[in-house]
Amino acid sequence: QAEELNPGAAMSQISHSTEADGAIHIVTLNRPDAQNALTMDMMNEIATLFHGLRDDKKVRAVILTGAGEKAFSAGVDLLKADGIFTSYFPTPLEKDPRVQIETFPWPVICAVNGFAITGGFELALACDILIASENASFADTHSKFGIAPAWGLSQKLARSLGPSRAKELHFSGRFIGAKEAMAWGLVNRVLPPQQLMPHCLDLAKEMSKMNPTMLRMMKQTVNDGYGMSFKDGCENEQNVAYKYYKEMGAELFEKMKAFIMSRSKGAKSKL
């Protein structure tokens, strides 16, 4: 049963609800009549929401999606862009939605329900895992409209797709559909629209059963290592593991052994 957290916020263009007794938060871009295009207020609200959720003791995963079945987000609303390009950058980290999503300590799943264009594409890529509807598509129109990327798109695509495919998207502005995006490794899975959110919720629920300390540590270790050489990443992993086991103590170690010995597929970690 979803719990709506801001039912009285009629003017808000970001809706926020919870599932699984608050372990899973669903954040929805809620401007379907404007293809969920981003305004300054929306960007600030996303950043503030994710920043505030860091202190939530129940949260274990977040799902980010868009309202409707046509658009995840068309990117920055160019009709309401006054001040965004001239005064938004450089942005304080606590007000930058991309930074707040990327550095959020718990997993963030993007349920890409429709097209994700430019800033919307960048927002999706700030998430840890992308699951796409069959209606989803992706495009980078920075070059087409003379807008400089500032949320990492020029760096992320080359690292995830390889420079040749990334440059094709950057230089042409062409759309790639959900199935091509999956073939290229951009999204994990493509589903019929009606199955998108149920699948993402099931995935988030499985994540919520994991050892919370290790879930956060794993995300941080992967993210840190992504910006390092392979050698440095492996060294960092060892250092993190050494610190973890050093601080574990005998009692927690015994709990870990007991859980492993009694584990089942549906069991929730007690650590």
Side-chain angles (χ1 to χ4, degrees):
Q1 183 71 30
E3 179 185 356
E4 181 66 39
L5 296 186
N6 57 350
M11 299 302 292
S12 176
Q13 293 168 331
I14 303 295
S15 63
H16 179 204
S17 61
T18 64
E19 292 270 356
D21 194 29
I24 300 166
H25 287 245
I26 302 169
V27 179
T28 305
L29 311 179
N30 195 20
R31 286 187 76 204
D33 293 342
Q35 301 172 347
N36 297 321
L38 301 168
T39 64
M40 179 83 84
D41 287 344
M42 290 174 72
M43 290 188 282
N44 289 335
E45 191 171 349
I46 294 167
T48 299
L49 195 159
F50 274 89
H51 187 70
L53 280 178
R54 292 168 185 263
D55 297 325
D56 189 308
K57 302 301 183 184
K58 289 185 176 182
V59 65
R60 292 295 180 270
V62 175
I63 300 171
L64 178 65
T65 192
E69 294 186 357
K70 183 178 181 181
F72 169 70
S73 175
V76 173
D77 189 339
L78 298 179
L79 299 178
K80 297 181 180 293
D82 292 350
I84 293 179
F85 300 117
T86 57
S87 62
Y88 188 68
F89 301 104
T91 313
L93 297 183
E94 66 273 11
K95 293 185 177 181
D96 188 321
R98 189 267 304 178
V99 170
Q100 289 304 317
I101 294 171
E102 281 184 354
T103 62
F104 189 68
W106 302 103
V108 182
I109 301 167
C110 187
V112 190
N113 55 298
F115 53 72
I117 305 173
T118 314
F121 196 175
E122 292 176 304
L123 205 63
L125 288 177
C127 302
D128 299 300
I129 296 167
L130 277 66
I131 308 295
S133 158
E134 292 171 345
N135 295 338
S137 59
F138 303 85
D140 175 21
T141 60
H142 282 107
S143 296
K144 182 176 182 179
F145 293 110
I147 300 169
W151 280 352
L153 194 59
S154 67
Q155 303 305 304
K156 287 185 176 180
L157 283 187
R159 285 167 168 77
S160 59
L161 303 181
S164 180
R165 281 176 167 169
K167 289 174 183 177
E168 178 183 339
L169 297 184
H170 293 316
F171 299 169
S172 70
R174 84 170 181 91
F175 282 78
I176 61 169
K179 290 183 178 179
E180 185 175 11
M182 185 171 68
W184 281 16
L186 193 62
V187 303
N188 289 25
R189 199 163 285 105
V190 177
L191 299 164
Q194 66 274 16
Q195 295 180 19
L196 179 64
M197 284 304 296
H199 176 84
C200 290
L201 280 168
D202 286 344
L203 182 58
K205 287 175 183 176
E206 287 302 309
M207 292 176 180
S208 72
K209 297 175 184 176
M210 299 298 106
N211 177 335
T213 300
M214 188 52 61
L215 191 61
R216 289 170 60 114
M217 187 183 299
M218 188 68 75
K219 175 171 177 173
Q220 187 68 54
T221 304
V222 172
N223 285 353
D224 288 346
Y226 198 67
M228 302 176 183
S229 68
F230 180 76
K231 179 181 178 182
D232 290 344
C234 288
E235 182 177 344
N236 178 66
E237 180 190 71
Q238 286 191 330
N239 290 337
V240 170
Y242 172 74
K243 180 180 179 182
Y244 173 69
Y245 289 121
K246 185 178 180 181
E247 295 176 352
M248 177 177 281
E251 183 179 351
L252 189 57
F253 184 72
E254 290 302 318
K255 285 184 179 180
M256 180 181 72
K257 287 199 301 182
F259 172 73
I260 292 172
M261 293 178 66
S262 63
R263 71 192 185 278
S264 65
K265 184 178 180 182
K268 180 178 180 180
S269 177
K270 302 297 183 182
L271 301 179

